[in-house]
Structures are given as C-alpha cells and as structure tokens.
Amino acid sequence: MGVDIPQCIVVDIPPSFGPNIGVNMNIKEAKAIVGGLSNTSKMPGYGYGLSAFDCAVGSKLRLIKNSTCSMCYALKGRYTFPGVKNAHANRLEAITKSNWVEAMVLLINNYGKKIPYFRWHDSGDLQSLDHLKKIVAVAMATPKVRHWLPTREAGILKAFYKEGHSLPGNLAIRVSATMIDGKPHSNVGLTSTVSKKEKPIGYSCPAGKQDNECKSCRACWNINIQNVSYAAH
Ligand code: SF4
C-alpha cells in the first residue's frame, strides 16, 4: 500500500508562533490552561487525553459490533469517575482558548527534554479542523519532540490536506482502521489496524509480549512505518 500523502514540513507557520513562544507564562500556569498532561506507565514520555465520550466518529463506531471502537478502554473504569470526567470537560473547553497552543508548547518542550516522545489522545480524538491545526502548530513549535496522534477522524485529516497543508516530520498521525481484522484506510497517510483472527498487517506491535509496555519500541512515532498492527484485547 502506497503512501499518497507527502509528509514534510508545513510552510504556513502561524505568525504568532515564533522563538518567543511560551515566555508569557510559567509551567504552573500552562498546566492550568490545558488541564495538565498524562503520564502512563505503558508509554514513553507524556501524553494528553480528552474524553472518549466526546469522540465524533468513535461514538458511532462503538455501537458497531467488531469495530475497533467497540472495545474502547476509555469508556469504562476510571474514565467514568466524576473527577476524570470533570478534568476531561475542562480540557475540552481549553482547546478553544487563544493561549492553548502556547501552553502546550511550553509543557511539551519542558517535559520532552527528558523523553522526547509525546502521545496525543491516549483517550478521546480530534474535535475539529481547527483543533488539528492547533496540534500541528504545537508540533512545529516543539521540533525536538516526536508526536504520535492516533485518530478515527479521517475526514478532518482529509480536509486539512485539501486546504493544501502537510504535516511536520515530527508528527505521525495514524488513522485507525474501522473494523477489527479490517484493512487500513487508504489516502490518509499513516495508518493502524487491529488483528484478532487475521495476520497482522505491516509492523506488529510487540507490547503484548513485553508486559504491555512500549519499552524500546517507538514504531507508532515512526513516519517511515506505514501501518502498525495492534492485537485485539
Ligand atoms: S507499536 Fe511500539 S510504540 Fe506503538 S504501541 Fe506498540 S509497543 Fe508502543
């Protein structure tokens, strides 16, 4: 399967994001603006999550048997606790704030000094084209950090490309397959699939064989790996 979407440095750098980004706030203020980052034991580095209950495509997919969202871990357990739900609601509201990009850049550059890998949406998904553009702006302003963003929102990504943009080389956006054992999406750039009965497609995620952790693997962040296949739980 070919990669139809070129991945290169975007040319339309937002004028407000220059070398002085992040000088107008400190870490504590940045955390308060974005609602904090997450730090799971499975992944290297820090991540960020929204509520899976606010996924647009995912909310429809989770009702479909054998869809990759039908087994969503982010709709149960601790994700249903009132404190977590409140935190997600605050983060969702925050993405529309004018200083959200600046705050995310400050936090990611700060925490990325130690482990330069960042995972977007360990729960939840893209909310809009504007949301995606802000994430691209964050990636561009944090060039020493590699970003991975899994998504079901192929339509938002296609709208981004249709406007003539491309992604920075440090941002791997992987569109997840619709169905377990289904084929990867085409014409959307990088992808992921979930295998249960069928053989894995492309790179097979080794997490299941290594305590459910990434350990030294960074395949999901690697823009040279077209498809990553995860095992269905
Ligand atoms: S493929 Fe590698 S980086 Fe991606 S989730 Fe699996 S172990 Fe982690």
Side-chain angles (χ1 to χ4, degrees):
M1 185 180 57
V3 181
D4 302 288
I5 308 297
Q7 180 127 12
C8 55
I9 302 299
V10 283
V11 290
D12 52 344
I13 297 171
S16 55
F17 305 134
N20 293 327
I21 194 160
V23 297
N24 295 322
M25 63 181 77
N26 59 36
I27 296 290
K28 193 176 170 191
E29 289 163 338
K31 275 187 188 172
I33 289 166
V34 307
L37 303 181
S38 51
N39 188 8
T40 62
S41 56
K42 183 194 170 186
M43 296 281 162
Y46 279 76
Y48 171 87
L50 292 171
S51 173
F53 291 97
D54 292 316
C55 293
V57 171
S59 291
K60 293 176 190 148
L61 276 185
R62 69 172 178 251
L63 305 174
I64 299 173
K65 197 177 169 193
N66 284 332
S67 78
T68 50
C69 290
S70 63
M71 55 181 197
C72 182
Y73 59 84
L75 295 168
K76 46 198 176 191
R78 60 176 283 276
Y79 292 97
T80 61
F81 296 171
V84 176
K85 281 186 154 185
N86 278 343
H88 280 152
N90 291 337
R91 282 188 198 163
L92 184 64
E93 195 186 332
I95 63 175
T96 59
K97 290 180 186 168
S98 58
N99 52 6
W100 183 84
V101 169
E102 189 177 1
M104 287 300 291
V105 168
L106 186 64
L107 292 177
I108 292 172
N109 272 336
N110 181 62
Y111 293 116
K113 279 181 209 153
K114 203 169 173 191
I115 305 176
Y117 290 88
F118 190 78
R119 192 220 168 145
W120 290 91
H121 301 156
D122 45 26
S123 61
D125 207 338
L126 292 172
Q127 299 293 306
S128 65
L129 179 56
D130 187 54
H131 185 202
L132 171 58
K133 287 179 179 175
K134 286 185 170 183
I135 289 173
V136 170
V138 171
M140 289 170 62
T142 54
K144 292 182 179 166
V145 176
R146 287 181 177 268
H147 299 249
W148 160 37
L149 190 159
T151 184
R152 259 74 174 173
E153 300 289 341
I156 292 176
L157 195 55
K158 284 181 177 173
F160 177 82
Y161 294 135
K162 204 173 173 185
E163 285 190 354
H165 311 294
S166 50
L167 297 172
N170 64 333
L171 172 58
I173 298 185
R174 292 190 182 276
V175 178
S176 313
T178 305
M179 303 299 289
I180 295 170
D181 285 329
K183 289 185 177 166
H185 282 269
S186 54
N187 296 326
V188 288
L190 306 178
T191 53
S192 70
T193 49
V194 176
S195 65
K196 192 173 185 181
K197 295 176 184 163
E198 301 294 328
K199 282 187 180 170
I201 298 169
Y203 184 88
S204 181
C205 170
K209 297 177 193 153
Q210 47 192 42
D211 304 326
N212 233 13
E213 294 180 8
C214 293
K215 299 207 184 280
S216 63
C217 179
R218 301 289 181 269
C220 290
W221 286 267
N222 187 340
I223 63 170
N224 296 313
I225 294 179
Q226 170 59 37
N227 190 75
V228 175
S229 182
Y230 307 107
H233 296 295

